[in-house]
Amino acid sequence: MAVDNDGIAVVTLQRPPVNSLNLDLLQAMNNTFDDVAKNKSKGMILTSASPTVFSAGLDIMEMYKPDPKRLETFWVTLQDMWLKLFGASFPTAAAINGHAPAGGCLIATSCEYRVMLSGKFTIGLNETALGIVPPTWIQDSLRHTIPTRQAEIALTTGKMFTVDEALKWRTNRGAEGAARLGPPVLEGPQMPPRSPDQILNKTLKMCLSPKMALDTGIIKLNALNEYLVTERTTIVDNAITFGIKKCNDMDINIQKRGRRKVGLIDETAADKAEAIEKCKKFIKRFDKIPSLARGMTKQIFRQEVLQKLLTNRQADTKQFLDLVNQPKIQQSLELYLAMLKQKSQK
Ligand SMILES: CCCCCCCC/C=C\CC(=O)SCCNC(=O)CCNC(=O)[C@H](O)C(C)(C)COP(=O)(O)OP(=O)(O)OC[C@H]1O[C@@H](n2cnc3c(N)ncnc32)[C@H](O)[C@@H]1OP(=O)(O)O
């Protein structure tokens, strides 16, 4: 931990090669969080010493063929880490300078603000993709950060977001197109609503009629041109009204203009120094806010989620221990470790 001149603590995770969270690292994090609280730091920024990995999540070796007592201590220490970080009264931010899968994403979402380095990094709770079930409080951390519907889809699909996806959800092109045209103008010349197709068909029929001389056809086309020019507003209005009706029929919310944000991260940065600077700027936003009021407001805001774990700690631990000790889970962990090893040797 390094405290800068502004009193902001920068805590760097340093457990090569990938900052996987084993018992020792979790204990060190808990002690550091206690120190930050005791030192009355203005705030805390979490980052990583690795140039490519923020944290690879839980150390799978802690769960594979575990010692029963250590496994229990490991889980309780992880719960403690989350209670301290998610419930910290001081401002917290994550400068995510690399991949942040599973437990790495948990740390990031437990903070109040996230700045991630642009690049080929990913972040998300991928547990279901690994065949494991994230407990309520881990799910809650994501639900607390991004809209509930997106959180449910991300959790059930084990979605790992690219940096761009983490910032934005998706573009609703249809709605954007409609929005670009502006709201329908309901006033204007009151013509019987005829679609451009109807008008063109009628004119074409006339032009093709054997009775119609070519010059008459030209006159009709000129008349059509004049009609289109003078009735442009009505035609465009009818087209927009038609588009809006179609959007409503298809349950597309046209009020939402532009990009929908998922907001798993708040900002991107070109490098670690910039990410830390942006995190500091976030923390300095509270300079003029009385810290007691700020801290208490945050804790009240997060109270319900924290309380859920506090009242269910034993049951949550038992569920974890039962799950890890299942032969099928041990088999999956073995396969996953082998896959990681194979990948790292390539
Ligand atoms: C079992 C029931 C549990 C129920 C409880 C649910 C609790 C849910 C909460 C959290 C769950 C977790 O966090 S589980 C961990 C999930 N993590 C991952 O899936 C990430 C796996 N790692 C990677 O994808 C990559 O390593 C990386 C993208 C993070 C980095 O890639 P890079 O190429 O830089 O590094 P390598 O892949 O070569 O890895 C180097 C080295 O580290 C070992 N490694 C990687 N991740 C882990 C890990 N999580 N635990 C232990 N070891 C890990 C990897 O095997 C390599 O080892 P070797 O050098 O020895 O080959």
Side-chain angles (χ1 to χ4, degrees):
M1 171 174 65
V3 181
D4 74 1
N5 294 339
D6 289 315
I8 298 174
V10 179
V11 174
T12 305
L13 301 172
Q14 194 161 10
R15 182 172 181 254
V18 289
N19 282 332
S20 60
L21 305 168
N22 71 346
L23 179 57
D24 297 347
L25 180 56
L26 289 168
Q27 280 168 341
M29 287 167 79
N30 287 344
N31 293 337
T32 308
F33 299 163
D34 287 345
D35 288 345
V36 174
K38 264 189 244 145
N39 296 348
K40 299 214 179 329
S41 296
K42 192 188 271 187
M44 181 181 75
I45 297 166
L46 270 176
T47 191
S48 153
S50 156
T52 53
V53 184
F54 177 68
S55 166
L58 302 191
D59 188 334
I60 295 165
M61 295 309 292
E62 291 283 7
M63 299 179 283
Y64 178 59
K65 296 187 176 166
D67 167 71
K69 193 70 211 139
R70 183 179 168 103
L71 184 66
E72 184 172 349
T73 313
F74 168 71
W75 191 251
V76 171
T77 312
L78 177 71
Q79 291 173 336
D80 278 337
M81 187 280 291
W82 179 78
L83 289 166
K84 285 176 198 285
L85 185 58
F86 190 81
S89 59
F90 49 81
T92 53
I96 311 163
N97 55 328
H99 295 288
C105 178
L106 174 71
I107 302 172
T109 51
S110 303
C111 295
E112 285 156 70
Y113 201 73
R114 282 153 292 280
V115 182
M116 190 162 180
L117 260 58
S118 304
K120 285 188 177 164
F121 302 128
T122 54
I123 179 168
L125 292 177
N126 62 340
E127 284 83 348
T128 44
L130 311 181
I132 57 180
V133 182
T136 321
W137 50 283
I138 293 182
Q139 297 194 21
D140 279 344
S141 295
L142 189 69
R143 209 202 317 229
H144 195 83
T145 309
I146 66 175
T148 308
R149 170 131 181 82
Q150 276 95 321
E152 181 179 346
I153 293 171
L155 282 162
T156 50
T157 58
K159 167 93 178 152
M160 289 300 294
F161 293 85
T162 62
V163 178
D164 195 46
E165 288 172 330
L167 204 56
K168 309 169 207 110
W169 184 240
R170 68 189 161 95
T171 306
N172 194 337
R173 290 224 177 113
E176 251 183 54
R180 230 180 281 128
L181 286 170
V185 183
L186 295 174
E187 303 86 39
Q190 294 302 302
M191 284 292 293
R194 274 197 287 173
S195 76
D197 267 356
Q198 280 176 313
I199 300 158
L200 281 172
N201 280 342
K202 195 168 176 219
T203 311
L204 200 64
K205 241 190 206 163
M206 278 195 249
C207 290
L208 290 176
S209 145
K211 288 183 208 147
M212 177 81 68
L214 190 59
D215 53 347
T216 324
I218 289 167
I219 291 165
K220 289 281 175 193
L221 279 174
N222 277 335
L224 171 66
N225 183 38
E226 204 178 313
Y227 171 78
L228 289 175
V229 170
T230 52
E231 299 305 326
R232 195 173 45 196
T233 323
T234 314
I235 293 164
V236 170
D237 286 352
N238 286 343
I240 292 175
T241 310
F242 179 74
I244 289 171
K245 188 181 173 311
K246 276 277 166 214
C247 286
N248 288 339
D249 290 349
M250 293 165 76
D251 208 18
I252 296 170
N253 185 357
I254 54 162
Q255 297 309 317
K256 286 201 173 143
R257 297 177 181 201
R259 288 171 192 280
R260 287 197 210 166
K261 299 227 173 193
V262 74
L264 181 50
I265 57 169
D266 299 288
E267 285 189 77
T268 56
D271 54 36
K272 183 173 163 180
E274 188 185 296
I276 290 178
E277 250 346 282
K278 286 185 170 177
C279 288
K280 284 187 179 174
K281 208 167 156 194
F282 167 74
I283 291 171
K284 285 181 191 165
R285 275 197 214 167
F286 303 112
D287 276 358
K288 292 197 174 81
I289 308 289
S291 64
L292 186 66
R294 195 211 92 88
M296 284 181 70
T297 305
K298 175 182 168 183
Q299 278 174 331
I300 292 168
F301 197 77
R302 295 184 173 215
Q303 180 73 22
E304 200 185 318
V305 174
L306 289 162
Q307 200 54 45
K308 252 198 263 175
L309 176 61
L310 284 169
T311 48
N312 282 307
R313 264 190 103 157
Q314 279 184 347
D316 182 76
T317 307
K318 184 178 179 315
Q319 204 170 20
F320 169 75
L321 299 178
D322 289 349
L323 195 67
V324 173
N325 287 317
Q326 278 182 25
K328 259 196 169 165
I329 295 286
Q330 283 300 312
Q331 226 174 0
S332 308
L333 292 177
E334 185 169 317
L335 285 174
Y336 194 58
L337 278 168
M339 187 276 288
L340 282 175
K341 202 152 251 353
Q342 202 180 22
K343 184 187 89 77
S344 84
Q345 280 160 2
K346 270 188 193 162

